PDB file of all heavy atoms in Angstrom:
ATOM      1  N   LYS A  29      18.987 111.426   1.846  1.00 98.00           N
ATOM      2  CA  LYS A  29      18.789 110.176   1.087  1.00 98.00           C
ATOM      3  C   LYS A  29      18.897 110.347  -0.433  1.00 98.00           C
ATOM      4  O   LYS A  29      18.563 109.448  -1.194  1.00 98.00           O
ATOM      5  CB  LYS A  29      17.458 109.469   1.426  1.00 98.00           C
ATOM      6  CG  LYS A  29      17.237 109.164   2.889  1.00 98.00           C
ATOM      7  CD  LYS A  29      18.449 108.702   3.615  1.00 98.00           C
ATOM      8  CE  LYS A  29      18.907 107.316   3.202  1.00 98.00           C
ATOM      9  NZ  LYS A  29      20.217 106.989   3.849  1.00 98.00           N
ATOM     10  N   THR A  32      23.919 111.837  -0.969  1.00 98.00           N
ATOM     11  CA  THR A  32      24.853 112.889  -0.550  1.00 98.00           C
ATOM     12  C   THR A  32      26.204 112.315  -0.135  1.00 98.00           C
ATOM     13  O   THR A  32      27.243 112.896  -0.425  1.00 98.00           O
ATOM     14  CB  THR A  32      24.265 113.716   0.608  1.00 98.00           C
ATOM     15  OG1 THR A  32      23.897 112.836   1.686  1.00 98.00           O
ATOM     16  CG2 THR A  32      23.028 114.475   0.157  1.00 98.00           C
ATOM     17  N   SER A 120      13.262 105.482   0.807  1.00 98.00           N
ATOM     18  CA  SER A 120      14.615 105.420   1.353  1.00 98.00           C
ATOM     19  C   SER A 120      14.678 106.050   2.750  1.00 98.00           C
ATOM     20  O   SER A 120      15.316 105.520   3.661  1.00 98.00           O
ATOM     21  CB  SER A 120      15.570 106.137   0.395  1.00 98.00           C
ATOM     22  OG  SER A 120      16.859 106.215   0.943  1.00 98.00           O
ATOM     23  N   TYR A 220      28.276 100.854  -7.190  1.00 98.00           N
ATOM     24  CA  TYR A 220      29.661 101.180  -7.502  1.00 98.00           C
ATOM     25  C   TYR A 220      30.424 101.485  -6.212  1.00 98.00           C
ATOM     26  O   TYR A 220      29.872 102.055  -5.276  1.00 98.00           O
ATOM     27  CB  TYR A 220      29.733 102.391  -8.441  1.00 98.00           C
ATOM     28  CG  TYR A 220      29.536 101.994  -9.886  1.00 98.00           C
ATOM     29  CD1 TYR A 220      28.285 102.125 -10.490  1.00 98.00           C
ATOM     30  CD2 TYR A 220      30.588 101.455 -10.613  1.00 98.00           C
ATOM     31  CE1 TYR A 220      28.088 101.740 -11.804  1.00 98.00           C
ATOM     32  CE2 TYR A 220      30.395 101.072 -11.940  1.00 98.00           C
ATOM     33  CZ  TYR A 220      29.149 101.210 -12.517  1.00 98.00           C
ATOM     34  OH  TYR A 220      28.967 100.823 -13.816  1.00 98.00           O
ATOM     35  N   LYS A 235      24.263 102.409   3.464  1.00 98.00           N
ATOM     36  CA  LYS A 235      23.974 103.045   2.176  1.00 98.00           C
ATOM     37  C   LYS A 235      23.706 101.960   1.136  1.00 98.00           C
ATOM     38  O   LYS A 235      24.581 101.129   0.891  1.00 98.00           O
ATOM     39  CB  LYS A 235      25.154 103.905   1.720  1.00 98.00           C
ATOM     40  CG  LYS A 235      25.605 104.948   2.732  1.00 98.00           C
ATOM     41  CD  LYS A 235      24.558 106.028   2.959  1.00 98.00           C
ATOM     42  CE  LYS A 235      25.060 107.040   3.980  1.00 98.00           C
ATOM     43  NZ  LYS A 235      24.030 108.050   4.296  1.00 98.00           N
ATOM     44  N   GLY A 236      22.501 101.982   0.593  1.00 97.00           N
ATOM     45  CA  GLY A 236      22.144 101.007  -0.428  1.00 97.00           C
ATOM     46  C   GLY A 236      21.512  99.751   0.144  1.00 97.00           C
ATOM     47  O   GLY A 236      21.721  98.664  -0.370  1.00 97.00           O
ATOM     48  N   HIS A 239      15.020  98.126  -0.080  1.00 96.00           N
ATOM     49  CA  HIS A 239      13.799  98.826   0.345  1.00 96.00           C
ATOM     50  C   HIS A 239      12.660  97.818   0.485  1.00 96.00           C
ATOM     51  O   HIS A 239      12.680  96.777  -0.173  1.00 96.00           O
ATOM     52  CB  HIS A 239      13.412  99.874  -0.697  1.00 96.00           C
ATOM     53  CG  HIS A 239      14.350 101.024  -0.763  1.00 96.00           C
ATOM     54  ND1 HIS A 239      14.181 102.074  -1.623  1.00 96.00           N
ATOM     55  CD2 HIS A 239      15.497 101.292  -0.073  1.00 96.00           C
ATOM     56  CE1 HIS A 239      15.163 102.947  -1.464  1.00 96.00           C
ATOM     57  NE2 HIS A 239      15.973 102.498  -0.542  1.00 96.00           N
TER      58      HIS A 239
HETATM   59  P1  A3P B   1      19.348 103.720  -0.187  1.00 59.69           P
HETATM   60  O1  A3P B   1      20.159 103.278   0.991  1.00 59.69           O
HETATM   61  O2  A3P B   1      17.942 103.990   0.125  1.00 59.69           O
HETATM   62  O3  A3P B   1      19.511 102.826  -1.395  1.00 59.69           O
HETATM   63  P2  A3P B   1      22.482 109.675   1.504  1.00 59.69           P
HETATM   64  O4  A3P B   1      23.966 109.447   1.536  1.00 59.69           O
HETATM   65  O5  A3P B   1      22.119 111.047   1.064  1.00 59.69           O
HETATM   66  O6  A3P B   1      21.826 109.236   2.760  1.00 59.69           O
HETATM   67  O7  A3P B   1      21.902 108.758   0.331  1.00 59.69           O
HETATM   68  C1  A3P B   1      21.890 107.356   0.452  1.00 59.69           C
HETATM   69  C2  A3P B   1      21.614 106.781  -0.908  1.00 59.69           C
HETATM   70  O8  A3P B   1      22.753 106.909  -1.746  1.00 59.69           O
HETATM   71  C3  A3P B   1      21.337 105.306  -0.886  1.00 59.69           C
HETATM   72  O9  A3P B   1      19.966 105.138  -0.661  1.00 59.69           O
HETATM   73  C4  A3P B   1      21.804 104.831  -2.277  1.00 59.69           C
HETATM   74  O10 A3P B   1      20.738 104.503  -3.148  1.00 59.69           O
HETATM   75  C5  A3P B   1      22.523 106.042  -2.844  1.00 59.69           C
HETATM   76  N1  A3P B   1      23.801 105.724  -3.475  1.00 59.69           N
HETATM   77  C6  A3P B   1      24.249 106.333  -4.592  1.00 59.69           C
HETATM   78  N2  A3P B   1      25.417 105.822  -4.971  1.00 59.69           N
HETATM   79  C7  A3P B   1      25.739 104.871  -4.079  1.00 59.69           C
HETATM   80  C8  A3P B   1      26.864 103.988  -3.953  1.00 59.69           C
HETATM   81  N3  A3P B   1      27.857 104.006  -4.836  1.00 59.69           N
HETATM   82  N4  A3P B   1      26.868 103.123  -2.897  1.00 59.69           N
HETATM   83  C9  A3P B   1      25.840 103.111  -2.017  1.00 59.69           C
HETATM   84  N5  A3P B   1      24.767 103.932  -2.082  1.00 59.69           N
HETATM   85  C10 A3P B   1      24.711 104.809  -3.105  1.00 59.69           C
END
Side-chain angles (χ1 to χ4, degrees):
K29 305 320 290 173
T32 55
S120 174
Y220 277 98
K235 305 293 180 184
H239 291 180

